[in-house]
Amino acid sequence: MTRLFGCVCGQFHSPGAGLGMAAERVAVPVPFYVIEHPEGVALFDAGLHDDMQDADDPYRQRLREGGMDVSLTAEETVASHLERLEIDAAKVRYVVLSHLHFDHAGGLSALPNATLVVQSKEWAAGADEETSRRYFLPKRFFDLGHQLRLVDGEHDLFGDGSVTCIPSHGHTPGHQSLRVRSDQGDHILVGDACYTAESAVSRNFPAYADHAAMNRSLDALMAMRGPQTVMIYGHDPGQWGERALLPGVRG
């Protein structure tokens, strides 16, 4: 039995244009996902670092200098979500990282024993000073000494087709999405290969990204859909309102 949960780890505040949205300013969710599999618990992304609760944190100060910010409460941290799901954070087996941005890798500090599953291109980008600067990949949040499983291309996490990494480069050099076939159906967790359903149509992507690669990746993800497939985008407020697409607690 494989179960999929969705958890919102705070909010990202930004000019709408930076997220391909029409509004002048927006507050969008920062989700991560919990997969319970017979062979262990895996997370897709890890949300924000606990330090983002502090308005004086140096990284938040840098964000505000660029017209952005985040908000995070104690109840929204990775550890709090896992506690409500009755999952021991120390026993999480894998964290599949879509990419190395601070709002996707930040919660790794709460998951000390997990093996990180990352595309080789992404890890190399994070290790290269010039590339990491261009794509905003600060080592503070991801280079913490975890065990690594570097993969190239598609990767079947548990070997049974239930959880599959899908390369979707462009947002960053080694971005990946995740397909989860669970008891709740077929879900493609798009990650930041596309922020919202709105930008899936408009194809308004971040200025720093490789737009040609993002278009190819998004086209490929869309082509994978079956009639019942649910696409969950990286930061779509419409998917995490009162009727979230995935449960965040046990029902």
Side-chain angles (χ1 to χ4, degrees):
M1 179 177 179
T2 300
R3 296 191 66 187
L4 177 62
F5 299 93
C7 304
V8 174
C9 184
Q11 302 280 318
F12 180 71
H13 305 266
S14 167
L19 291 167
M21 300 171 71
E24 183 176 352
R25 286 198 64 84
V26 295
V28 299
V30 178
F32 71 95
Y33 307 87
V34 180
I35 302 150
E36 280 191 326
H37 185 276
E39 294 186 13
V41 173
L43 269 59
F44 182 55
D45 287 337
L48 294 167
H49 194 288
D50 285 5
D51 287 353
M52 296 299 105
Q53 296 174 76
D54 181 1
D56 294 325
D57 178 85
Y59 200 78
R60 283 191 64 183
Q61 291 179 5
R62 287 179 58 191
L63 288 172
R64 288 196 295 272
E65 289 170 3
M68 299 170 284
D69 201 359
V70 295
S71 55
L72 177 69
T73 67
E75 292 74 26
E76 294 172 318
T77 64
V78 170
S80 293
H81 278 294
L82 292 178
E83 184 176 355
R84 284 191 290 274
L85 288 168
E86 301 175 346
I87 293 172
D88 184 346
K91 294 182 179 179
V92 170
R93 184 176 179 186
Y94 298 118
V95 178
V96 179
L97 289 175
S98 62
H99 61 302
L100 301 178
H101 279 163
F102 82 104
D103 55 329
H104 295 260
L108 291 177
S109 58
L111 306 161
N113 301 318
T115 294
L116 308 188
V117 182
V118 190
Q119 291 283 322
S120 296
K121 288 182 179 180
E122 186 72 4
W123 197 257
D128 181 79
E129 185 174 337
E130 182 178 345
T131 308
S132 66
R133 185 168 52 249
R134 174 187 169 184
Y135 285 96
F136 311 103
L137 309 176
K139 290 185 178 180
R140 167 188 170 184
F141 298 108
F142 64 82
D143 193 8
L144 307 178
H146 289 81
Q147 292 292 314
L148 287 175
R149 179 181 291 183
L150 298 181
V151 300
D152 295 291
E154 287 198 12
H155 176 70
D156 187 341
L157 187 64
F158 291 106
D160 61 1
S162 63
V163 182
T164 306
C165 301
I166 303 168
S168 49
H169 309 333
H171 180 73
T172 57
H175 187 282
Q176 64 182 345
S177 303
L178 197 72
R179 187 169 204 158
V180 181
R181 293 181 171 96
S182 71
D183 296 330
Q184 295 130 283
D186 178 29
H187 292 83
I188 294 179
L189 310 179
V190 175
D192 285 3
C194 185
Y195 287 142
T196 66
E198 178 182 343
S199 55
V201 176
S202 69
R203 302 295 175 106
N204 288 330
F205 298 132
Y208 64 82
D210 181 336
H211 291 197
M214 287 195 75
N215 274 302
R216 289 193 298 270
S217 292
L218 188 52
D219 286 344
L221 289 170
M222 293 296 192
M224 293 178 181
R225 294 177 296 175
Q228 305 302 319
T229 303
V230 178
M231 307 288 284
I232 302 185
Y233 297 100
H235 297 281
D236 193 325
Q239 295 186 322
W240 297 102
E242 292 184 8
R243 298 184 63 185
L245 289 183
L246 292 170
V249 297
R250 296 186 185 279

